[in-house]
Each structure stands twice: as structure tokens, then as C-alpha cells.
Amino acid sequence: MKIGIFFGGQSREREISFAGGRTVYDNLNKTIFEPVPIFVDSLGNFILIDWQFIYKGTIRDFYPPLTFLPPSPNGFQVYIESLQNLSRELQDEIIGSIGKKVQPEEFKGLFDFAFLALHGPFGEDGNIQGLLEWYGIPYSGSGILPSAIGVNKIIQKEYLESGHFQDVKHLVIPKKEWLTGDGGVLFKDLVKTIGLPMVIKAPNQGSSIGVNILQQNDVDLFSKLVDQSFFIKRILKNEWDRFSDEEKRNFLVSLTDIREGLGFPLIHEKEVIYHPEALWKYLNSEFSSGKSGVDLTSLNSEEEVLVEGFIKGKEFSCIVIEGEGGSIALPPTEIVKSKDLFDYRSKYLPGVIRKVTPIDLPEEAIEEIRSRCVDLFRTLHCDVYARIDGFYSTDNKIYLTDPNTTSGMMPSSFFFHQAAEIGLNPSQFLTYIIRTSLASRIKSGKDNSRMSWILDDLETKIRSLHNQSKDQIRVGVILGGYSTERHISVESGRNIYQKLSSSGKYLPLPIFLSGNNSGYELHAIPVNILLKDNADDIRDKIKNIRKSPVIERIKEEGRDLTEKYVTEPIDHPIRIDFEQLSSIIDVAFIALHGRPGEDGAIQLELEKVGIPYNGSGPESSGITIDKFGTKEILNEHGFTIASQYMVNRSEFRNDREAIFDKIENMFKYPFIAKPSDDGCSSAVKKIKNRQELIAFSELMFRNEEPLDPKLAEILNLKNNEEIPIKDFFMVEDLIEAQGADHFLEITGGLLTKRNAKNEIEYEIFEPSETLATGEVLSLEEKFLAGEGQNITPARFSTNSIEQRRISEKVRSDLNQIARILKIEGYARIDAFVRIYGDGKVETIVIEANSLPGMTPATCIFHQTALSGYKPYDFIDAILEYAMRSRKSEVEN
């Protein structure tokens, strides 16, 4: 059955939609579905996109392609709407570079069913649903009416209040009234009628875009927040003039952001400004002519802003689905935040907030929440599924605040998180959504005979899935650990599990590793625990496992569903050792990062019991885990490395001033300080002065886990950012251009194979160019969809012949490095590249990762796509190499 996946779109949530569409594309059960990716660009074009582009980190990484972009000396990334005077012919040429433009009348010839992963205006408001109904295409989720209600928060308020789902005081501010009225008088009235804190919302946005909480009685801050919700920005001359060029660039990068800034194009006095470079020139011109300020408005702004009272209490989200016998509310999830607002970053970056399922309330209160969510689901005439957000207040009242007819579909979203509590893995839940949506569309009486035939065929295929597990290869996906990289390990492991679970070839089993350096603990875990928010939540759930009466009741309500779709091998955590592991799996995929995992320790344990595994063996892993030692070895083989020095805890404690003096004699500020045996940008800091060096040293060599807040502030650490406790760390020169004509940071992936003589051969992929928005490449930029700027292939030269020559030289260097380090399986090598005017190319290695991150957004998948590997194909090749290598060892 061909499934057209609609993703991207015109809204400010397009990046999350893009990532969600990728999740659906990867997780559809490949034995019964064929995914057909339909990318919707921000001009509303439907594009049958070439699959390779699905694995780019962000839309702006590939669309519009670099060749169509105007010159940008400051390296601004823009969407296609920032291209001025875009003719239909040029649009078609741009579209042709990534796929094929399709018209709605062509849909029926391309796919049987539309899976909607679009968010916000044009995707969640009934527009696309109406278009699909016109052309007779069944689609996922709710129909036109509930979609239209669900996207507009002002209309929602009327429904919610009339149905007694909430009674929060509110006021709507029209844009014209805001621009011409007295903001101070309005603010006084709002404080009197609504009170503080108050919530200020852009009514047509999702993902908390344009939403702020005003805590204090501050009219200036109020005006600023209302402007943000209208997507208005006033830039003052005295502020602009104080900025350095770097600060101006960073300011405009922030302004370009469609989630937290205004996005482009912008309007000033009816003049449209399409590009950040044009705005820079425009501001300089306006301010030099004597203007004191410039008011900018997004071309896609709001006409009204909603202000409402703040609800004190527990925030929750609840998925409601259509069961075989009626609507079922899945266990509501409590959102435990470090601050009041559940913002964009909190929603989509793993580990920033905690999801507690079910919400920590008495059973009666949970059942009341579930009952009210089902009531609202029915009142809005929702179909198939919806996500309903709300609060359980401190005075024990339930307030339902935001019904969503399309939930976020990131791997860690509520959509999959709550379905897992009744036993459905993501692939199974998507199958359920398609089957149930098809049945719902049949009820409309439109083309129902044809849809009934499709449904009958699908039902037969779903029943056949229960018999396929007997012939599948059992893969133990080992994830977690106890390093600062444990949360990324969970994301990698989840992604591997999900890719394998949608195949007919493999049967994955998640294996969570915990413990400490004195001993490991292994647990085989079910999917509901696998999809907990992060490694710490998984560990705590295993230790404190107990059956929730609420979840047991929901499982009973949904038994017809689970019996139809679930084929999972376990439903509770099971403590095992490596010997027992060898009896339940055929091969292991180690998704651990740092120690243990990349140091060879787990590999040794697996070898003892004869389990083949991915990646390098103990010897090579023991080398590459040590960044300092790795670079020393490469230096001995003629590679350029940055000067480096290892700082030891005992030496530091004996005479810290002498250590600081020595470092300052060896290195000039700024330089890099980092752990020598952790990855994922964990605790990598650009040190600019002695105060920061002292803070970094004290945190690294502390004796207890909590961070000193004063030291954390000196290093400008983010919320929840961790610094590991170590006995040593390394300092190295900040790698710079040093006279090179072109200088860039790259990361290159590789895959090993064996030829007919059983010799190792390396396939080196086209490297990616990585651009950090801060001082060093952050965890978010490496692993969070929509955050990092990775350009694949790296831009070595604008001349195609030179581009090829330089790429071949860099890949040859990476090949040599892999051989020197005896890497096997797959790996990622990070480096800087200097390209000189005389044609010389120099590769300066930063580190080699023997078990690189395998999260959905990581750039290794961008690279493998260029060589024809979909993520599943790449993972399959890694496992096949592991199993063949082990078989060869046994035979020898």
C-alpha cells in the first residue's frame, strides 16, 4: 500500500514537520507499506522529493540549493520565500533540483493514502484535508471541521468555554488596536481583569511559537512580549550602532529564525525586505538618514493576540485515540519543566524536560482527566486521534487548553510515548493510525467502495505480521550507560530500534546498560520504558518498576488494539547477564557513547560469549577513546595536529598555580579545554581567560556531582548541561586558518567491507561541513532536528574540478587515518581542513568516533544518503559486516 507522507509546509513549524515526516518515512512497516515522500515547500508547492534529501538536518540545508541563493557574505541561511522576484520558471527549476513537482490531480496515481505530518496553518487547519477530500484521497487523522477549530486558539476558547472545559479569563487584542492604542492603559486593564502572571499567545501557531508568560508588573516587557506574538520587532538606532559586525550578524540570525524570531520576508512601511543581507544594508541606510528606530513586521504575522490568565498546577498532555469499541484516552503525561513555559526547545530536545506517565496524581484525578479529554475529543468531532493539552490546577480543577488534531511525530513525542504504554511501538502505532483513518474516511460515503477494498487488503496484511517474527534476526540494541553521553546514547539506540522494528528482516530487543565502572547491569526492556524521556528516566523506571492500575486499565480498554498490532517479545524489564544475552539475541548493536562502549570494554564482554557486534574491536576502540593518544599516534604518522597538553587531577591539586602558568606559557587565549575520553561535544569549552580556566578545572576535578552555580555561570553553561567528573582533561590550541585561503570544519563518515580475499576495504563518504552558531559545535546542533547547520557535501571549492580534487584528498586522508587506527565497521572522523592558494590541502584531525551518534538528525545519514544508503540500509550493512566477520573468525 503506497503511503504519501506530507511534511514540511508553510507554517513556522515546518522544521518539526520535516523531522516528523522523516520519522514516519522510516518507521512505516516496510513489509506492508511503501512510503512516498511529498515535501510541501513554504510556497505551497507539492514535491515528490528524492529520498536522499529527507535525511538532511534542516530544510535550509538543501532547499533552496546553494546554486540558487544570492551571495551572502555573512553566511545567512534562508528559506525559498527569501528569494526575490521568483518566477514560476525559476521555481520549477529549483524544485527540479530536489525532486518532481506534482499537482493534486496526480496524487491518486502516486499513492493510496495520505499521512499528514504537517503542522499549523495550511496543514492542521482543514485546508489540506479539504483538498484531499476533493481528489478522493483518504488521509490520516481528523477531518475538516475539528482541524479548523483545533488550529485557532481564539475559536478554541469559545468552544472550550461553552463546553465547560475551562473558564480562564482572557482578552483578544486586535493588531490595529495595538498599533494605534495606548499599551499602558491596556496593560493596566489586563492586570486588573486577568491578573499576573498572564500568558500572551499568537493564536495560529503551535509548538509554543509566539507564546510567552509575563510574570511581573512591567509595561515595557509586556509591550515587547505582545510584539513578539504579533511578530513585530522595533530596532533602535542606538542599539544597532553599538553592535559589532559579529553581533549584528548574530542578531540577524536570531531574527531570521521562524520559531523564535520574525522570519523573512519582513515589511517596513509597505516595503518588503526579503533577505537578512538586504535588511543589514537597509538598516544602515535608514539609521544614517537620521531615523531613530525601524519597525519590522513579518510578512506572515498575526492579526490578533490572545492574552489569558496563568494556570498554576501540573501541565499535562493526553493522546485520545479511536479504539475498536470507542474513544480511549491514553495515560496522560505530566510535563515537569525547569521553567514555567514548555517552549520549543523543551518540547523537542531530549532530556530538557521530564515526561511523567501517568501524571503524578491520585487515580481518581487521572481518570477524570481522561474522561474530560474523551469528552472534548467527541465534542470537537475528532477522528482517529488527537493530542489534548491541559492543566490540573492547585485547587484540583481540570483545565483543557489546547486540542491538537496533528501531534508532533518526533521519536520522543507524546504521540509515540503514550502509545508505548499500552505496548505499541512506533511502527505498530503508525499502522494503527493508517488502518483506523481509512476506516474513518469510509464513513463519509465518499468513494467508500474503493476505500473498503483497500482496507480489506490492509487487514489481511496486518494479520500476517504475527507470523513473521519466527524468521527474523534477533538484534540486541545496547543503549544508555552512565557517562554524560548517556542521553544521546538513548536517542541513538531508539533510532536503531525503530529502524529495525519496521523491517521484516530484524527483531530488535532494547538492552539498557547501567551500573558503574565496578560492574555493569543489563536489562532487556519493553518499548514503553525505551521511550521514556532520557537515560535517567529509563534507569529510574527499571529500579522502581511497578504496575500502574491506570495503565493496566487502559491496556484492558485497548486489548483489541494490542492483540491486532503488537508482536513485542517482552512487556516488563528483565535483568540479564552477558551469558543470558547470548541465548536471546543473534547480534548486538552497541549504541553506547563514551565509556563504557567506545573504549572496548563491552566489546570484550560480548566476545567472551560469542555475540557478534557492530563497530571496532577492543584494540582499536581502546585507542580512539583517548583523543590525546589518538592524535599523538596520527602525528607520528605525519598528520598535523593541534598542540595539546594533559592536565592531571593530582598535579592540579598539588600546585594549581604552576599548572595554570604552564598552560598559559604553552597556549595563548582562547584555547580549547575538554575531556579526553568523552564525545558528543560533552564539556568542550572555548577558554578565553584564566577565570574560565579555573572554573573549568574546578568543575572537572570536583569530588561531588552537583555543579557549583557560580562556576557554571562563569562558563555560561545551559540548563541541564553536564560537566563530567574526571581525573584528567586536555587542553589544545584553537585550530584556526593560519594563512589558508579557505578553512572549514568537517565530519566524515565511513563504512568497512571485506573483499574476496577477506581484506578490509573502506568506503569513505562525502564529508559534511559543520557550522557552529556558538563558540563550539553544540549538542543541539549535532543531534537535534532543525538545529544544526550541516552542509553535505562540504563546500571545499566553488570550482567543480577543485571540489572533486580536494574532496578526494580529504577522503584519502580519512581512509589513511582509519587504517592507522584499525577502525572496523563504521566510524566518524572530525577534522578541520585548510586549503591554501597553491592548492595544498591539510587535514587536521580533532577526534575519531568508533561508535558515532546515530540519532535521526545526525549528519552521517546525510552522507550515506549521497552514496545510496537509506538509514536502514546503512544499519543493515553494519550488522551484516558484524555477523560475517564473526562467522569468519569462528571458521578460522
Side-chain angles (χ1 to χ4, degrees), residues 25-40:
Y25 184 87
D26 281 340
N27 282 278
L28 285 179
N29 190 309
K30 304 305 184 297
T31 61
I32 56 177
F33 299 121
E34 178 187 342
V36 179
I38 304 295
F39 171 62
V40 185

Side-chain angles (χ1 to χ4, degrees), residues 548-565:
S548 161
V550 170
I551 290 179
E552 292 305 307
R553 201 174 300 125
I554 298 170
K555 283 182 178 179
E556 192 57 40
E557 290 175 26
R559 188 161 302 282
D560 288 344
L561 291 179
T562 52
E563 286 178 353
K564 176 180 283 191
Y565 298 101

Side-chain angles (χ1 to χ4, degrees), residues 531-576:
L531 295 189
K532 293 299 174 192
D533 218 43
N534 56 47
D536 295 344
D537 282 349
I538 292 174
R539 182 199 61 218
D540 294 345
K541 192 72 175 179
I542 291 170
K543 283 185 177 179
N544 304 298
I545 191 67
R546 63 180 182 83
K547 287 192 174 184
S548 161
V550 170
I551 290 179
E552 292 305 307
R553 201 174 300 125
I554 298 170
K555 283 182 178 179
E556 192 57 40
E557 290 175 26
R559 188 161 302 282
D560 288 344
L561 291 179
T562 52
E563 286 178 353
K564 176 180 283 191
Y565 298 101
V566 174
T567 57
E568 296 300 299
I570 62 171
D571 63 0
H572 62 280
I574 302 171
R575 175 76 182 268
I576 56 175

Side-chain angles (χ1 to χ4, degrees), residues 614-666:
N614 59 307
S616 295
E619 181 187 358
S620 176
S621 299
I623 295 170
T624 56
I625 188 68
D626 177 5
K627 295 186 181 71
F628 187 95
T630 293
K631 289 196 289 184
E632 291 295 317
I633 291 170
L634 294 175
N635 191 35
E636 291 170 7
H637 284 80
F639 282 92
T640 302
I641 66 167
S643 298
Q644 54 183 11
Y645 174 70
M646 192 75 85
V647 184
N648 182 285
R649 177 190 288 265
S650 58
E651 292 176 355
F652 173 79
R653 291 301 178 202
N654 286 338
D655 194 344
R656 51 187 277 164
E657 293 303 318
I659 293 293
F660 294 148
D661 290 341
K662 185 174 183 178
I663 291 172
E664 289 176 336
N665 286 332
M666 291 179 65

Side-chain angles (χ1 to χ4, degrees), residues 647 649 652-653 656-657 660 690-708 710-712 714-715 723-726 729:
V647 184
R649 177 190 288 265
F652 173 79
R653 291 301 178 202
R656 51 187 277 164
E657 293 303 318
F660 294 148
R690 180 172 278 212
Q691 185 186 28
E692 291 185 356
L693 177 60
I694 292 170
F696 186 87
S697 303
E698 290 289 359
L699 289 176
M700 194 68 69
F701 293 148
R702 71 193 187 279
N703 295 317
E704 297 178 351
E705 193 54 51
L707 298 178
D708 182 323
K710 292 181 179 177
L711 299 178
I714 291 170
L715 290 178
I723 298 286
I725 297 174
K726 297 287 184 181
F729 69 86

